[in-house]
Amino acid sequence: MTPLDTPMQRSQSISIASVFERYGLVIFLVALMVVAAIASPTFLRPANLVNVLTIAAPLGMVVVGQTFVILVRGLDLSVASLMATVAVLATAFKATTNEAIPMIFIAAIALSAMVGLVNGWLVAKRNVSPFLATLAMMIILQGARFAYTGGAPISTLPPGMGFLASGRVLGIPVNLITLAFLAIAFGIVLHRSRLGREIFMVGSNPKAAFLNGVAPDRVVILCYVICSVCAGIGGLFLLGYVGTVSNWVGQGYELDSIVAAVMGGVALSGGRGNVFAALLGVAVLVVINNLVLLLGFPIEMQLIIKGIIIIGAAAFYRTRLA
Amino acid sequence: MSAIAMDIRRNRLMLSYLIVAVLLVLLAVAGGFLSDRFLTWRNIGNLLQQLIVLGMVSLGQTFVVLMGGIDLAIGSLVGALTVFLANFLEWRPDLVWLALPLALIAATGVGAINGLLTVVLRVHPLIVTLGMSSIIFGGTLMYRKEPGGSVPRAFADIAYTKVGGIPISAIVLVVIFALAGLWLQRTRTGRSIYFAGGDREAARLNGLPVDRIVVLAYALSGLCAGIAAIFLTARTGVGDPRIGVALTLQSVTPVVVGGTILAGGRGGVLGTFLGVLLVTMLNSLLNFVNVSSYYQWVIQGLIILIAVGIHSSRRK
């Protein structure tokens, strides 16, 4: 392979494949919705659809971030723990008026960015495997959070937080609007900016990226920071939706966010993926979860289906692109 | 050249064992100072009694990590098995002789399926075992949401019986670790686990049946989870679907502390054994000085990071 061996061609052939993947997922989603509509007349009611999307929004925010980390061959298992920790932090202000909301957001984002910085530093500079680094971070955050709350749930929140999470502007849920902003902003960063190109380069071949004048360490650290910040914001919106901090806000989101991203065709081997396809993965996941409920199956069945899907989707994309 | 490299590696590994051993002694001394009950026979007996569960799941994790994989289904599997054992034995307390082999076979089978899935689908083991864990956990919860079941007295005894002051479970653990160590060092199959974890392509080119080794390692991990579940059920007397949730992560810590880094192909059961001792002793000590379990989580996370930091900087 010469250095001139066509990064252009490669990216082109990959983008055709990824377009194909994207449509495959759309077809799957439509098929699921048809099944859901047939199985239960409730499904297509606007109230149910809006409900489904409202539940999906915080997960979507996490997935946007998770995509960045997976693109650089990483994985962030600390997102769920961070969401809960941010939620606890938000209640720590003991604020009952809406003036505190900007402060809460700033504090939450600052904490998240710090967490991401540590994760990224461990992975990029200390060569710790992403799995171990974020696992350790997950436990540390969990311990710190419980030590602060003593395990008891708290519910002191400015009323505006609830509005952010389940209120509507012109009939559209506020958290969906926020998710759209977040996805478009980070989508532009990823797919249209220089930084985005660097992320793809580092993900598909760190050495080549380095030789091309990209500092892989910096890019990797930045991806972890972005991931944590997205998770932190997702945590605030989820908190507003749930209303109380139970110390376990967001539990399971680490698995769900990885499932959604993988389903959306974000390759765990790095360097291949798309934020919006990953969000389609979220849609599929929440429709399946909703379907399980509408069909009257026990809620635990969601866990089983999720497990099968993540293995199946990973295998599917693997054979497709091998 | 490679012999020298091997030698250096070996010495480094020995050094990290030595560090952990020194830490163990320091902990014991510190414990003795902090509480006059820490170094009593009674507490040591308790400590030894607790070893088997963490010890077995960590041993299983060691096999898989040595081979270059990871097993995140261990905790769910242990939980599912305790539910099976406690409910089965409540139904037929006389069938202990049947329940135990059934549990071990099922455990080994689930492990083998994990291995087969990674081999056949070529999906990253993290994803396979994470998915598997979700499937097992969901299935168990569909059967039983709350802890339940009971075990006959004779079965409970295996967790509590002592011989000469030493719990049988601790003796079993040491014997199993010794056998595992001998097997890994002295037999062809055992050594091939190291080769598969070191450079898989090279192993394949040398004619090793890599796929079979992978499946074997996961099957062994399942078997170890089965043994852990038997002793856990005997000790607690109930089947709790959620009991394994924390166990998966706990099984990783001693493997990391013991120097069997997650890159695979290095380390061994001695390191894991020392790691299990260290973690168990530290937790016990923290309990003695009334540090809340919340801070124990923080400390566990820090231990992982420190151990990884030490081992990864040694690698360079």
Side-chain angles (χ1 to χ4, degrees), chain B residues 110-190:
Chain B
V110 171
I113 291 174
N114 279 331
L116 277 173
L117 284 175
T118 61
V119 166
V120 174
L121 301 177
R122 307 227 159 275
V123 172
H124 195 288
L126 200 85
I127 296 298
V128 169
T129 54
L130 208 58
M132 216 32 186
S133 168
S134 183
I135 295 172
I136 299 171
F137 190 49
T140 315
L141 283 179
M142 274 174 78
Y143 175 64
R144 281 283 186 280
K145 278 186 194 40
E146 302 302 327
S150 66
V151 298
R153 185 63 199 272
F155 177 61
D157 279 347
I158 65 168
Y160 294 106
T161 310
K162 293 183 180 177
V163 175
I166 299 171
I168 283 194
S169 66
I171 299 171
V172 170
L173 185 72
V174 170
V175 170
I176 292 178
F177 262 82
L179 288 176
L182 281 177
W183 180 73
L184 281 171
Q185 299 283 332
R186 296 287 149 84
T187 67
R188 265 180 74 111
T189 327

Side-chain angles (χ1 to χ4, degrees), chain A residues 5-6 17 22 29 42 48 79-80 82 95 122 128 132 169 193 236 248 253 255 261 273-274 289 309 314 318:
Chain A
D5 195 10
T6 63
R22 224 179 299 169
L29 180 60
T42 331
N48 185 55
V79 284
L82 177 60
L122 287 167
V128 179
L132 275 184
V169 173
S193 80
L236 287 180
W248 291 115
Y253 273 45
L255 177 61
N274 180 306
N289 280 346
I309 287 181
R318 180 117 216 166

Side-chain angles (χ1 to χ4, degrees), chain A residues 75 132 135 268 300 303 318, chain B residues 122 126 134 145 249 262:
Chain A
L75 184 80
L132 275 184
L135 186 73
L268 288 161
E300 289 78 20
L303 287 171
R318 180 117 216 166
Chain B
R122 307 227 159 275
L126 200 85
S134 183
K145 278 186 194 40
L249 305 185
L262 290 172

Side-chain angles (χ1 to χ4, degrees), chain B residues 18 27 84 97 112 130 176 185 217 239-240 253 256:
Chain B
L18 200 66
L27 264 184
F84 162 73
W97 59 270
L130 208 58
I176 292 178
Q185 299 283 332
D240 182 351
T253 316
V256 177

